[in-house]
Amino acid sequence: MNGPTAFTLGCIVVGALLIAMTLGGSFISRLPLSSAMLYLGVGIAIGPWGLGLWKLDALKDTQLLERLTEVAVLISLFTAGMKLKLPLKDRRWWIPLRLASVSMLVTVAAVTAIGIWLLDLPPGAAVLLGAILAPTDPVLASDVQLSDPGDGDRLRFGLTGEGGLNDGTAFPVVMLGLGLLGLHDLGANGWRWAAVDVLWAIAGGLALGSLMGALLGHAILYLRTRHQEALDADEFIALGLIALTYGLALACQTYGFLAVFAAGLALQRVGEKAAAPASESTPDLEPAPPTPAEMMLAVQRFNSQLERFVEVGIVLAIGVLLATVRFRAELLWFIPLLFLLVRPLSVFTGLLGTKVLGAQRRLMAWFGIRGIGSLYYLLYAITHGLQPAQAEQLLSITVGVVVASIVVHGISVTPLMHRYEARKKARSGAS
């Protein structure tokens, strides 16, 4: 009998990793490291630098990696939308909105300037780099995001909403960068970019996603309250909504990421507004159908588990990729500049005039976690004709930033968030 294949060994490694992370989750959560750091280490171990079980090259396996990262971001964006339960009229919504707009544009401008003046990139490539690195990650940032949808904490709410929104709002800048490189039609004086890529794609994506989420939510509500339909497989309803919304958004030339985020948000809104069925209307011997609110909770739990699963796969892939990326010396100064100057500058600028405490601002400035969204935008640019030399340079910077973010933010997230929660509890107890 032949020995085990690389696929067989890969299944053993991944299976053992998932079981170990599940059984040891509570212990790992107390350590100054994140689960992503462990996945990254295992990815390096099974890649060319280790056992050689798996080999990936971002410049050769671009389409495969683009689809994997695309699916991962979609699942995470839908989950992020379902976590945000505050009413849209609540002033705390200004925090993620300003982070995903003002702060993102400041980041793009700063990275573009660095790209032109310090990295010798042409303007189009510099703008593209800014767009790739501007969005924070909705997948890897789960440790600093909302775990309880009812939580209105400004720090967690702001970071969750920012991660859900700016993966879509960065898309117009990506298209601008591609247009400046001659890879996308901007129109005369940029009219097509402004009208289609900015106004229509953003507004249309948000409107379409909101409509789809609301329609499905009301359909579920109608069937469960009027006809007492149990509607099993809530998880498939959620996956169906993600796929249908994303497909329709792309067909309408709007931003699918924003549409899926809005769909999750709208679906959650319908569940919150729905009243539970009257218990007396159901015979004692027959269990009452799950209420819409219970259905939303089941969907959110399933999506969170699915999000964790795709996180394992993508971060393992990043660890494997490291062996084929030619890292440049410029990363030694670029990464500290991005984390310690550009991100804080963008956050403090975006939050001017908001009621965010100093400690919360500082933590928002630090936890600008970059990850799978940035990789997707890079891969999207490569598949749309980015020149090999520019693709290689942007790949080096992007993967370097993502890996650095996994490590430094992973080390700091547990002690910083525990300290933050302890201080918040002490303030609430004193009051």
Side-chain angles (χ1 to χ4, degrees):
M1 178 181 294
N2 294 330
T5 64
F7 176 77
T8 302
L9 293 174
C11 288
I12 294 172
V13 170
V14 173
L17 176 63
L18 290 173
I19 293 173
M21 291 300 297
T22 301
L23 297 179
S26 59
F27 171 73
I28 294 171
S29 65
R30 297 192 294 269
L31 298 177
L33 52 85
S34 66
S35 56
M37 291 178 62
L38 298 178
Y39 305 150
L40 182 67
V42 174
I44 294 173
I46 65 176
W49 282 351
L51 300 176
L53 302 180
W54 194 12
K55 182 178 180 181
L56 285 172
D57 189 324
L59 300 179
K60 295 179 180 178
D61 303 307
T62 310
Q63 291 187 342
L64 170 63
L65 292 170
E66 181 188 2
R67 291 292 171 250
L68 290 176
T69 53
E70 188 175 18
V71 170
V73 173
L74 286 172
I75 293 171
S76 188
L77 290 177
F78 186 80
T79 304
M82 294 203 69
K83 290 178 180 178
L84 301 170
K85 291 175 64 174
L86 287 181
L88 296 180
K89 295 180 180 180
D90 194 298
R91 294 185 64 84
R92 279 170 288 187
W93 268 102
W94 281 107
I95 299 171
L97 288 173
R98 294 183 68 166
L99 288 174
S101 55
V102 178
S103 297
M104 190 201 71
L105 292 176
V106 171
T107 301
V108 170
V111 174
T112 299
I114 294 170
I116 293 174
W117 297 106
L118 299 180
L119 295 176
D120 259 349
L121 290 173
V127 170
L128 182 59
L129 179 62
I132 289 170
L133 297 180
T136 54
D137 194 74
V139 181
L140 302 181
S142 57
D143 289 332
V144 296
Q145 293 183 353
L146 294 172
S147 55
D148 176 11
D151 189 358
D153 178 74
R154 284 179 169 83
L155 170 63
R156 293 185 181 276
F157 185 84
L159 291 174
T160 303
E162 180 191 19
L165 285 168
N166 65 11
D167 265 309
T169 54
F171 231 124
V173 190
V174 172
M175 306 312 293
L176 176 61
L178 291 175
L180 294 174
L181 290 171
L183 303 175
H184 177 67
D185 181 18
L186 299 178
N189 298 317
W191 73 266
R192 185 189 183 282
W193 175 77
V196 177
D197 297 328
V198 179
L199 297 178
W200 164 246
I202 291 177
L206 291 173
L208 176 63
S210 299
L211 176 63
M212 295 300 298
L215 286 176
L216 179 60
H218 284 295
I220 294 170
L221 176 61
Y222 176 79
L223 291 173
R224 290 194 168 180
T225 57
R226 297 295 182 88
H227 298 282
Q228 301 294 304
E229 293 287 345
L231 294 182
D232 294 330
D234 295 328
E235 300 85 1
F236 291 101
I237 293 176
L239 292 177
L241 178 59
I242 293 172
L244 180 60
T245 301
Y246 190 60
L248 289 174
L250 295 183
C252 295
Q253 297 185 9
T254 63
Y255 293 133
F257 285 177
L258 282 177
V260 168
F261 171 76
L265 188 63
L267 185 62
Q268 178 65 266
R269 289 287 178 272
V270 174
E272 285 301 303
K273 293 178 181 178
S279 57
E280 60 269 14
S281 63
T282 304
D284 293 338
L285 299 178
E286 296 182 13
T291 67
E294 291 171 339
M295 174 266 189
M296 301 306 168
L297 184 59
V299 170
Q300 184 190 333
R301 287 174 177 170
F302 172 76
N303 281 356
S304 296
Q305 293 171 347
L306 194 58
E307 182 182 37
R308 289 294 187 183
F309 181 76
V310 297
E311 178 189 3
V312 173
I314 298 298
V315 180
L316 284 175
I318 294 172
V320 174
L321 277 177
L322 295 183
T324 59
V325 177
R326 297 180 181 179
F327 293 106
R328 298 168 178 253
E330 58 207 19
L331 285 172
L332 296 176
W333 57 263
F334 181 85
I335 293 174
L337 191 61
L338 178 66
F339 289 173
L340 302 178
L341 180 61
V342 174
R343 171 65 180 181
L345 174 65
S346 68
V347 169
F348 282 101
T349 302
L351 295 180
L352 286 174
T354 61
K355 293 182 179 180
V356 179
L357 299 176
Q360 293 172 330
R361 290 174 190 255
R362 290 190 292 272
L363 287 175
M364 287 182 188
W366 173 242
F367 286 120
I369 300 174
R370 267 65 179 185
I372 298 173
S374 294
L375 286 176
Y376 169 76
Y377 280 129
L378 171 66
L379 295 165
Y380 179 89
I382 293 174
T383 59
H384 283 73
L386 190 64
Q387 293 296 318
Q390 293 172 349
E392 186 175 329
Q393 185 175 8
L394 297 192
L395 175 66
S396 169
I397 296 172
T398 304
V399 174
V401 167
V402 170
V403 171
S405 185
I406 290 174
V407 174
V408 300
H409 292 126
I411 291 173
S412 61
V413 64
T414 299
L416 288 180
M417 292 306 294
H418 281 179
R419 183 181 179 186
Y420 172 74
E421 294 295 342
R423 288 186 172 183
K424 186 172 70 170
K425 185 179 295 184
R427 284 196 303 269
S428 62
S431 59

